[in-house]
Amino acid sequence: MNTSTHQNIHVGVDTGKSQLDIFIRPIDIFFTVNNDEKGIEEAIKTIKQHVPQRVVVEATGRLEMPFIIACSEAKLPFVIANPIHIKRFAGAIGQRAKTDKLDARLIAHYSEAIQPNLTQLKPENMRLMSDLVARRHQLLAMQTMEKNRLQSLPKHLAGTIKPVLTTFKNQIEKTEQKILSLIESCPEYQNKNRLLQSVPGIGKVAAASIISNVPELGLITNKQAAALIGVAPINRESGRYKGKRVIQGGRAQVRTVLYMAMMSAMQCNPVFKDTYQRLLDAGKPKKVAIIACVRKMVVILNSMLRDGVMWNENIAKN
């Protein structure tokens, strides 16, 4: 039943690991559901009854993606909001108290007052792009193995390997074309792609990997971004014991892509070239220096996407 015929309904969703807190404004309905398939189905059913103008979800990581996908499938108008914008709005209206209900109410109020543009994101395309990037990586690995065999096996077997290499080359090109087509199909992807590829060293594959596998980049803090990719050093200390700081966890596929991108960036990007050389001069092992450069790149990319600015060397110096 539509109870909101004459009202502009705005829904705020505060996302947690185990639950979703939902506030519907201005009719002041608040409810909580589990952040699982059953809970999300219940939430979508309730929200649809009120025909909202916007369903605003604060981007906190991938925890919100199942709900966003459900909104997309239910054809609900949704917005993935930048947490910084929500925080600034809270400061503007003088809200300091913080509870799950107040957070959901704040997000709904933000939706009504600011009326942010609807997100044109197609979550199914995001998943497909992630799969295509992973498949391209697999094809490249198999191509490398065949090239190695071409060098080590007798020449009379070359005729059995070259056709396979041609097939891999064609499949890699087709996969890259599908990735580009997905980017071109979405204005939000296009804008992110333009910003990311403005960085010398970031190519179309690295950009696609970031867009599909780290959609929250630009919506989180720099420390969270580094931890998310898995390039933030973790302390290993207990009492008097002080172990070496190491990286762990994070999204390995993106980290691998950015590692390879950094190998290119250190050749063509003076900022990372200078950083790498400075770390080597300080006695850092080469791999440690490269990972440190990748961490610097992640921080810069996060800032660029957050502020919507193109690459320039002054960004890296700040």
Side-chain angles (χ1 to χ4, degrees):
M1 178 179 177
N2 179 8
T3 60
S4 317
T5 306
H6 303 295
Q7 299 189 72
N8 294 325
I9 299 297
H10 294 264
V11 180
V13 182
D14 184 47
T15 310
K17 184 176 182 179
S18 60
Q19 68 183 44
L20 300 172
D21 297 292
I22 301 169
F23 190 89
I24 304 177
R25 183 183 172 95
I27 54 179
D28 292 345
I29 293 177
F30 174 76
F31 63 100
T32 298
V33 297
N34 291 331
N35 191 5
D36 56 22
E37 186 176 349
K38 184 177 179 181
I40 290 172
E41 183 180 347
E42 178 187 339
I44 294 295
K45 183 178 179 181
T46 301
I47 292 170
K48 285 193 74 172
Q49 292 176 354
H50 300 283
V51 194
Q53 284 196 338
R54 285 175 184 78
V55 179
V56 178
V57 185
E58 184 178 17
T60 57
R62 284 200 163 186
L63 294 176
E64 75 274 5
M65 288 314 297
F67 179 76
I68 290 299
I69 291 170
C71 284
S72 177
E73 292 173 348
K75 298 187 179 352
L76 285 170
F78 64 91
V79 177
I80 302 176
N82 189 326
I84 293 175
H85 296 167
I86 302 290
K87 186 176 181 180
R88 288 173 179 169
F89 179 75
I93 64 174
Q95 178 172 317
R96 295 186 178 181
K98 187 174 177 62
T99 66
D100 292 336
K101 182 176 181 179
L102 287 176
D103 285 347
R105 184 200 293 266
L106 173 68
I107 296 169
H109 190 184
Y110 167 84
S111 174
E112 181 182 81
I114 305 300
Q115 299 190 15
N117 293 331
L118 297 179
T119 298
Q120 301 299 319
L121 198 61
K122 295 183 179 180
E124 64 273 18
N125 283 356
M126 184 185 296
R127 286 181 292 179
L128 177 56
M129 194 187 307
S130 178
D131 292 341
L132 287 169
V133 171
R135 182 55 182 161
R136 179 186 179 276
H137 181 71
Q138 293 168 355
L139 290 167
L140 284 172
M142 289 187 287
Q143 183 188 56
T144 299
M145 286 189 287
E146 285 297 287
K147 285 182 176 179
N148 291 338
R149 293 184 185 113
L150 185 62
Q151 298 296 321
S152 61
L153 290 175
K155 289 185 178 180
H156 69 269
L157 292 176
T160 67
I161 297 177
K162 289 182 178 178
V164 177
L165 288 174
T166 300
T167 299
F168 282 140
K169 182 175 181 292
N170 291 337
Q171 289 301 315
I172 290 169
E173 289 176 353
K174 287 181 180 178
T175 302
E176 290 178 348
Q177 188 55 51
K178 288 179 181 178
I179 292 171
L180 292 175
S181 296
L182 282 174
I183 290 174
E184 291 169 359
S185 71
C186 175
E188 188 161 336
Y189 289 164
Q190 289 176 8
N191 185 51
K192 281 189 173 183
N193 185 57
R194 180 176 58 86
L195 295 176
L196 292 170
Q197 288 203 50
S198 70
V199 180
I202 294 290
K204 56 187 177 183
V205 174
S209 182
I210 293 168
I211 292 169
S212 58
N213 291 310
V214 202
E216 54 269 53
L217 200 67
L219 304 174
I220 53 181
T221 67
N222 291 336
K223 287 184 178 180
Q224 288 173 331
L228 199 62
I229 304 298
V231 290
I234 306 299
N235 289 335
R236 300 171 65 193
E237 299 179 358
S238 179
R240 295 183 178 181
Y241 171 76
K242 296 186 183 296
K244 293 177 65 176
R245 300 174 76 200
V246 297
I247 61 170
Q248 63 183 38
R251 298 179 187 168
Q253 180 180 320
V254 185
R255 185 168 61 252
T256 299
V257 170
L258 289 179
Y259 188 94
M260 298 308 296
M262 182 51 64
M263 301 303 289
S264 172
M266 289 188 304
Q267 304 299 318
C268 64
N269 190 319
V271 170
F272 297 116
K273 185 176 182 179
D274 292 346
T275 301
Y276 177 67
Q277 189 58 52
R278 178 167 47 80
L279 290 169
L280 290 184
D281 293 342
K284 299 293 184 183
K286 289 184 178 180
K287 191 171 183 178
V288 171
I290 294 172
I291 290 296
C293 289
V294 172
R295 182 166 61 252
K296 183 181 181 73
M297 176 182 277
V298 169
V299 168
I300 292 171
L301 294 175
N302 189 56
S303 299
M304 287 172 59
L305 292 177
R306 180 193 64 214
D307 300 331
V309 297
M310 301 282 280
W311 163 266
N312 66 74
E313 293 187 13
N314 291 328
I315 293 176
K317 296 175 182 176
N318 292 333

